[in-house]
């Protein structure tokens, strides 16, 4: 049984020194012993502070192919909706082999940044003409294989996508690759379960795309037909226009409608939920659902700012997601999450409940790691017996305060970081990144570059 010795580690009880972590052959934490004697030659000494791996609750892998290419203003009224046109063009061009290359490269970048599991909100189901591949899960399976090859934990969330808007309009030609009704989704889930039967770090959930793309009646129908613990993610209230369209069509705001009509509970993750009023904030928090916040993408798209301090004061849970994958850094996501609050409120240190005090980095990291694990339905997020051994070792040389201790480590990594502070990354008891390097990264980079050239052509 491999054993590690961390000079300091973030445990459920707080920071501890000289922590011995014993791991079973199948990659589960067997025992955690603070203040351990250094004994035995099979104990590996780690080179920096040890944290639980971060969950990335929301990713669309294929969008990495357009990172940096949507930053030119093509229309004085440029907005989310013109970005979406660029995204649709990329979506149209990505074939199965391209998706394999893009996602393998992306998952390695995520691991190096400190994400040890990811939720793929996956809607690129069909071929470019809108026909199902021979295996309806062809594209989803590419993600499963990329995750297995690179070593990241995956919760794959095949998307239901049925209409172009609240008025039940038929899908636009650019949306035909996404089309999946309940029947098609069930076939995708069956295929995914078969392909993932040997993977211990794969979970399969579902994702009704949004109330724009799926009526709330269908959301309720499928959610009640599946086991209660099924992981369910949905985009909601990302843009003001979505709120206006939903109000016009149904008389209710999107979060209000979802909470009233669907069995939203602790296995749900509401992605963005940016535009919410106080009753909706309280309802999400009371349901136990996780808010899936993607601060970098939300800033990039001009979505708005989620009311985090109000939500935390209501007892709400959140995770973070890299969404469009324009930038990959949990540290930067958390920094921007707090900075958005500061800019809106004209105050500092806001990512705590109203009556809370303490480290903002510590509060953000603990909340995101716990909420993220819950949102992905993965046994991670805690360095404790029975959890999967997903660990990050930080590099003190990359921290602005190399001698930082306890929550100062997290404050420094999040707020004073330039480079990624991660040195080694373990997923399920296997080192996937050592010294900032993943053994598959060069081959993945070559294949990714070739895929980008095919897509551009
Ligand atoms: Zn998204």
């Amino acid at each position: 049984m491999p054993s590690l010795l961390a000079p300091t580690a973030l445990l459920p009880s707080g920071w501890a020194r000289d922590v011995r972590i014993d791991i079973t052959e199948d990659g589960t934490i067997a025992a955690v012993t603070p203040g351990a004697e250094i004994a035995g030659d099979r104990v590996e000494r780690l080179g920096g502070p040890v944290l639980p791996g971060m969950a990335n609750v929301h990713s669309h892998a294929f969008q990495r192919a357009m990172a940096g290419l949507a930053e030119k203003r093509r229309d004085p009224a440029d907005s989310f909706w013109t970005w979406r046109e660029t995204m649709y063009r990329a979506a149209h061009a990505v074939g199965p082999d391209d998706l394999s290359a893009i996602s393998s490269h992306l998952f390695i970048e995520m691991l190096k940044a400190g994400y040890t599991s990811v939720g793929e909100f996956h809607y690129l189901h069909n071929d470019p003409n809108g026909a199902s591949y021979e295996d309806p899960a062809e594209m989803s399976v590419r993600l499963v294989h990329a995750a297995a090859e690179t070593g990241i934990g995956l919760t794959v969330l095949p998307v239901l996508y049925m209409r172009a808007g609240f008025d039940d309009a038929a899908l636009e030609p650019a949306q035909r690759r996404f089309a999946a009704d309940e029947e098609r989704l069930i076939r995708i889930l069956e295929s995914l379960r078969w392909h993932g039967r040997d993977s211990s770090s794969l979970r399969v959930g579902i994702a009704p795309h949004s109330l724009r793309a799926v009526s709330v009646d269908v959301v309720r129908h499928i959610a009640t037909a599946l086991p209660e613990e099924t992981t369910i993610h949905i985009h909601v209230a990302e843009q003001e226009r979505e709120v206006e369209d939903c109000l016009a069509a149904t008389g209710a705001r999107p979060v209000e409608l979802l909470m009233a009509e669907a069995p939203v509970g602790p296995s749900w993750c509401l992605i963005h939920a940016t535009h919410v009023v106080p009753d909706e904030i309280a309802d999400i928090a009371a349901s136990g659902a996780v808010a899936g916040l993607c601060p970098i993408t939300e800033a990039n798209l001009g979505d708005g700012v989620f009311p985090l301090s109000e939500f935390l004061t209501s007892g709400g849970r959140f995770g973070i997601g890299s969404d469009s994958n324009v930038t990959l850094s949990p540290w930067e996501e958390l920094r921007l999450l707090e900075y958005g609050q500061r800019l809106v409120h004209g105050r500092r240190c806001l990512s705590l409940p109203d009556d809370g005090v303490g480290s903002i980095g510590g509060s953000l990291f603990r909340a995101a790691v716990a909420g993220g694990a819950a949102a992905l339905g993965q046994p991670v997020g805690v360095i404790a017996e029975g959890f999967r051994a997903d660990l990050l070792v930080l590099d003190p040389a990359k921290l602005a305060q190399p001698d930082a201790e306890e929550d100062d480590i997290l404050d420094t990594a999040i707020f004073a970081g330039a480079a990624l502070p991660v040195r080694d990354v373990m997923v399920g008891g296997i080192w996937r990144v050592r010294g900032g390097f993943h053994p598959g990264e060069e081959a993945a980079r070559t294949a990714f570059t070739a895929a980008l050239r095919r897509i551009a052509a």
Side-chain angles (χ1 to χ4, degrees):
M1 178 160 55
S3 296
L4 310 172
L5 187 72
T8 174
L10 181 61
L11 305 183
S13 52
W15 287 94
R17 282 178 183 278
D18 300 322
V19 180
R20 179 175 162 143
I21 305 168
D22 298 311
I23 299 168
T24 64
E25 296 301 338
D26 73 353
T28 304
I29 298 174
V32 178
T33 316
E37 299 291 322
I38 302 152
D41 5 304
R42 290 205 61 213
V43 179
E44 182 190 348
R45 300 175 67 104
L46 303 178
V50 176
L51 302 169
M54 181 59 77
N56 179 353
V57 303
H58 189 65
S59 161
H60 307 285
F62 81 89
Q63 291 182 17
R64 183 64 177 161
M66 59 174 279
L69 299 183
E71 308 303 331
K72 288 170 197 71
R73 193 203 259 188
R74 294 198 166 84
D75 175 338
D78 207 352
S79 70
F80 173 87
W81 307 98
T82 49
W83 171 87
R84 197 176 73 159
E85 294 304 313
T86 309
M87 186 272 280
Y88 280 0
R89 277 198 294 279
H92 192 74
V94 172
D97 291 344
D98 303 318
L99 186 62
S100 293
I102 295 165
S103 49
S104 291
H105 178 255
L106 173 70
F107 293 161
I108 289 172
E109 288 186 281
M110 286 184 187
L111 286 163
K112 289 170 71 174
Y115 292 120
T116 49
S117 46
V118 58
E120 271 296 327
F121 195 109
H122 176 70
Y123 52 85
L124 218 48
H125 298 308
N126 307 316
D127 75 16
N129 299 317
S132 175
Y133 288 100
E134 192 178 330
D135 177 349
E138 171 78 41
M139 294 292 268
S140 308
V141 167
R142 299 302 182 119
L143 298 170
V144 171
H145 288 158
E149 258 170 50
T150 57
I152 200 166
L154 174 68
T155 298
V156 62
L157 302 152
V159 165
L160 263 176
Y161 204 109
M162 298 170 64
R163 60 182 190 175
F166 288 100
D167 57 358
D168 265 334
L171 294 179
E172 296 163 17
Q175 296 168 329
R176 284 197 295 245
R177 287 201 80 177
F178 317 155
D181 57 11
E182 284 181 87
E183 197 189 321
R184 168 107 27 121
L185 187 74
I186 299 297
R187 288 173 54 220
I188 292 172
L189 293 176
E190 281 166 3
S191 172
L192 271 174
R193 289 202 188 96
W194 190 82
H195 283 283
R197 65 199 180 283
D198 295 329
S199 171
S200 60
S201 57
L202 176 73
R203 297 288 180 279
V204 179
I206 63 159
H209 179 275
S210 57
L211 294 175
R212 256 190 293 128
V214 185
S215 77
V216 78
D217 294 334
V218 172
V219 174
R220 182 180 53 243
H221 183 260
I222 194 151
T224 39
L226 292 167
E228 197 186 327
E229 65 279 8
T230 304
T231 299
I232 302 180
H233 288 212
I234 183 170
H235 291 127
V236 69
E238 177 176 8
Q239 287 275 325
E240 303 262 23
R241 188 171 118 190
E242 181 193 334
V243 178
E244 289 157 18
D245 291 352
C246 186
L247 266 169
T250 70
R253 302 168 56 83
V255 169
E256 181 188 11
L257 182 66
L258 186 70
M259 301 306 297
E261 300 291 334
V264 177
S267 63
W268 287 60
C269 184
L270 307 191
I271 305 301
H272 306 304
T274 311
H275 300 285
V276 282
V277 295
D279 282 352
E280 293 173 313
I281 295 171
D283 284 350
I284 299 171
S287 74
V290 176
L293 308 177
C294 311
I296 293 174
T297 298
E298 289 156 9
N300 186 278
L301 298 181
D303 287 345
V305 177
F306 177 80
L308 184 66
S309 18
E310 293 88 331
F311 185 62
L312 292 176
T313 301
S314 301
R317 305 195 289 173
F318 76 87
I320 51 164
S322 61
D323 193 356
S324 68
N325 296 311
V326 63
T327 296
L328 294 156
S329 167
W331 320 95
E332 208 170 318
E333 296 286 358
L334 294 172
R335 183 193 320 148
L336 189 56
L337 182 56
E338 164 69 19
Y339 282 174
Q341 309 300 310
R342 294 187 190 188
L343 290 165
V344 166
H345 294 281
R347 289 167 51 210
R348 301 186 70 251
C349 300
L350 289 157
S351 299
L352 282 167
D354 273 352
D355 57 354
V357 291
S359 153
I360 296 301
S363 163
L364 284 167
F365 189 89
R366 285 180 180 82
V369 102
L376 295 187
Q378 301 254 357
V380 298
V382 186
I383 302 177
E385 186 187 337
F387 287 82
R388 196 165 75 213
D390 284 15
L391 306 172
L392 310 180
V393 184
L394 299 189
D395 186 346
K398 298 250 176 77
L399 293 176
Q401 302 290 336
D403 294 332
E405 293 198 35
E406 308 203 333
D407 278 356
D408 284 349
I409 295 166
L410 293 167
D411 285 332
T412 306
I414 292 168
F415 292 103
L420 290 170
V422 180
R423 157 186 193 147
D424 307 313
V425 181
M426 172 179 278
V427 184
I430 299 172
W431 290 113
R432 297 297 184 177
V433 174
R434 305 277 351 221
F437 180 78
H438 184 291
E441 68 180 68
E442 280 170 30
R445 181 87 194 161
T446 305
F448 175 68
T449 307
L452 290 187
R453 287 179 188 149
R454 281 197 299 271
I455 292 164

